[in-house]
Amino acid sequence: MRKAFVQSVGTGTRPDQDITRPLLWHWKKSHPDFTTWVVSDESRPHAERMARELALSTEAFRIHAVHNTDDVEAVYRDCAALLRDLDHQGFLPDAIDVDYTSGTKAMTAGLVLAAVAHRCGTLSYICGVRQSGVVVGGSERVVAIEPRRIWADERMKLARDYCRALRFEAALALLDSINPVWLGDDERQLANCLRTIANGYGAWDRFDYGRATGELAKLLEAMDERLAWLREFRPTQPVLNVLPSLKPERGFSADRLADLFNNAERRLDEGRYDDALARLYRAAEMLAQWVLQRNYGIETAQVDLSKVPSALRETLASLRNRQGLVQIGLDRDYQLLKALGHPLGERFDQGSFHGIGVLLKKRNTSLLAHGLEPIQKSDVESLREKLATFIATEVPDFPHRCAALEFPWRRSRG
């Protein structure tokens, strides 16, 4: 692997001291394939002298001048550009050694920041016994820093941000990219908790309530003061008590309906309007299925026609499939509720709820259903508001249930 060496060059503290001697010593120890010296206008002659002393060809080095050596941000931008240039020359970040021993504070700080951002393999500086600010010959030693611990911290912060943004799989991928040897005990505990957060809430977001319960129970047990950085993700015991009741074998419930509605809200916030609409459609259908099952013992996947009012019985009988089953969807669900005299059937798409039916049908024209039409955010938002109020006519505490079953960091949103 070809190796590049980037070295900042200052002017020294006294004119009678040779600033280049320890820098040359480090260069010879590194013996790179290509060198870039980062200089000011005043320190450029030192870099030129080193190039002559080392007898480097013009293809083997570059002198990169930064003109505002007291502005950390300006130096950072200059150094970031030169590191990108090294990348274009084929030098992998891992093969770039950055020596920030010499130069103004702004020069060295800007170079270090650029090197960390570029993920350079090694940062180093020369130390030893000093006289008049210069290392005494023979006492030199290189202190190398591998910034991977910094990268690990950066990736964990980004993983936390991904979890906040509901990008759980991306968070897990980032965490998997962190080598455990880069972490101390505290950082390792943070990484493990972040992984549990991503697994737990990711499972919940996929309606995998069994796994979600297990992961979030582990998270609740692990949370302590050392993990205050992740306090916003802490689940509550009441939520952990409810999640098992949402498993498929437990059937329909008001809490299952609230959780599905919350899931639609999350998809809307992500800008996934088709997915949000599909979930709201399913929530409207689930409400009708739940009431038909609970109040009348009617299963929409296998309608018992003997429980259907005579006015609608013939119509539903004509829907019998090859297996001899009468199976009905959202529109027929509400027609049946209306025929049975239930208020939900009477209210559906009527009065203040007029327009719900039209908005729900937009799901059928979407690309993810049967059509090609894009779903508009305004349509989803309108349906969300109407449907929340509609559900609350049957489940009066529906807003409270939704709030209780929302992810904790979203529940506290302003």
Side-chain angles (χ1 to χ4, degrees):
M1 184 186 299
R2 296 173 67 229
K3 181 179 179 181
F5 187 61
V6 179
Q7 190 174 54
S8 57
V9 181
T11 58
T13 56
R14 288 172 48 180
D16 60 335
Q17 296 291 336
D18 183 4
I19 188 66
T20 66
R21 184 187 45 73
L23 302 182
L24 285 168
W25 171 86
H26 191 187
W27 186 96
K28 292 172 183 176
K29 187 176 181 65
S30 179
H31 199 69
D33 297 292
F34 186 83
T35 303
T36 297
W37 282 293
V38 179
V39 303
S40 64
D41 291 337
E42 294 77 15
S43 66
R44 175 185 285 273
H46 294 310
E48 292 171 344
R49 181 154 57 89
M50 285 192 288
R52 288 194 300 271
E53 185 169 334
L54 293 168
L56 296 179
S57 68
T58 55
E59 293 79 18
F61 77 96
R62 172 187 176 188
I63 296 177
H64 183 88
V66 292
H67 300 293
N68 195 342
T69 56
D70 292 318
D71 184 334
V72 174
E73 186 176 348
V75 174
Y76 166 81
R77 288 197 299 268
D78 280 346
C79 291
L82 80 86
L83 291 170
R84 287 194 296 270
D85 188 61
L86 287 175
D87 184 60
H88 295 154
Q89 293 179 51
F91 292 101
L92 298 176
D94 268 352
I96 300 175
D97 183 2
V98 175
D99 175 358
Y100 61 97
T101 303
S102 179
T104 67
K105 290 180 179 178
M107 280 178 67
T108 56
L111 176 57
V112 167
L113 289 172
V116 170
H118 193 71
R119 306 191 187 282
C120 294
T122 307
L123 303 177
S124 57
Y125 65 91
I126 305 164
C127 68
V129 178
R130 290 181 179 269
Q131 287 182 358
S132 303
V134 178
V135 176
V136 174
S139 72
E140 303 97 334
R141 65 186 179 89
V142 173
V143 177
I145 303 169
E146 293 187 354
R148 291 179 175 86
R149 288 181 182 272
I150 301 172
W151 306 341
D153 286 345
E154 175 189 315
R155 292 181 194 186
M156 286 198 291
K157 289 175 183 175
L158 186 55
R160 179 187 61 179
D161 291 344
Y162 278 167
C163 287
R164 281 186 184 138
L166 311 174
R167 296 176 60 187
F168 303 113
E169 290 302 318
L172 288 169
L174 263 180
L175 293 167
D176 287 343
S177 73
I178 300 174
N179 190 326
V181 302
W182 301 350
L183 305 176
D185 290 341
D186 288 346
E187 290 83 4
R188 194 171 292 112
Q189 185 181 17
L190 281 173
N192 288 339
C193 276
L194 276 166
R195 188 170 282 104
T196 304
I197 287 166
N199 280 325
Y201 288 106
W204 185 353
D205 213 31
R206 297 189 304 274
F207 311 109
D208 186 351
Y209 300 112
R211 184 175 184 191
T213 302
E215 293 288 340
L216 296 181
K218 288 193 301 184
L219 179 64
L220 184 60
E221 183 179 343
M223 295 292 276
D224 58 32
E225 287 307 312
R226 291 173 297 173
L227 296 170
W229 188 62
L230 300 176
R231 186 180 293 124
E232 64 187 309
F233 297 102
R234 182 187 180 96
T236 64
Q237 190 59 54
V239 163
L240 293 179
N241 293 340
V242 170
L243 285 180
S245 71
L246 305 182
K247 293 180 180 180
E249 60 268 23
R250 301 294 290 273
F252 301 125
S253 69
D255 283 330
R256 175 176 276 279
L257 193 61
D259 187 62
L260 177 58
F261 192 87
N262 283 348
N263 199 291
E265 288 263 20
R266 293 195 289 270
R267 302 295 79 77
L268 175 58
D269 287 350
E270 289 181 296
R272 294 165 54 185
Y273 305 135
D274 290 73
D275 290 338
L277 181 57
R279 284 157 172 76
L280 291 174
Y281 186 100
R282 179 68 184 111
E285 182 182 50
M286 183 184 292
L287 173 65
Q289 289 177 314
W290 177 43
V291 173
L292 285 168
Q293 181 191 76
R294 182 193 64 191
N295 292 22
Y296 305 102
I298 295 175
E299 300 287 346
T300 58
Q302 187 173 349
V303 177
D304 182 348
L305 293 177
S306 68
K307 298 177 180 180
V308 174
S310 57
L312 194 60
R313 193 174 299 154
E314 184 177 345
T315 299
L316 295 191
S318 68
L319 301 177
R320 198 179 301 277
N321 62 22
R322 291 180 180 179
Q323 289 74 40
L325 302 176
V326 174
Q327 298 177 321
I328 58 176
L330 185 145
D331 287 338
R332 298 293 188 186
D333 291 345
Y334 283 100
Q335 288 177 17
L336 180 53
L337 282 170
K338 185 175 182 178
L340 290 163
H342 194 279
L344 276 181
E346 299 288 344
R347 297 188 192 111
F348 184 72
D349 211 19
Q350 300 298 316
S352 60
F353 302 117
H354 179 69
I356 283 184
V358 173
L359 291 168
L360 287 169
K361 282 182 171 59
K362 287 183 178 291
R363 173 256 183 190
N364 294 329
T365 65
S366 74
L367 185 64
L368 296 185
H370 312 297
L372 296 171
E373 293 298 317
I375 298 301
Q376 302 301 318
K377 178 181 180 181
S378 58
D379 288 337
V380 181
E381 290 176 332
S382 179
L383 177 59
R384 174 191 60 185
E385 297 304 320
K386 287 180 179 291
L387 189 59
T389 307
F390 181 66
I391 294 173
T393 64
E394 181 66 25
V395 186
D397 62 348
F398 188 66
H400 171 75
R401 289 178 183 272
C402 288
L405 278 169
E406 184 53 284
F407 293 167
W409 67 97
R410 289 174 53 85
R411 195 162 56 239
S412 60
R413 290 180 303 168

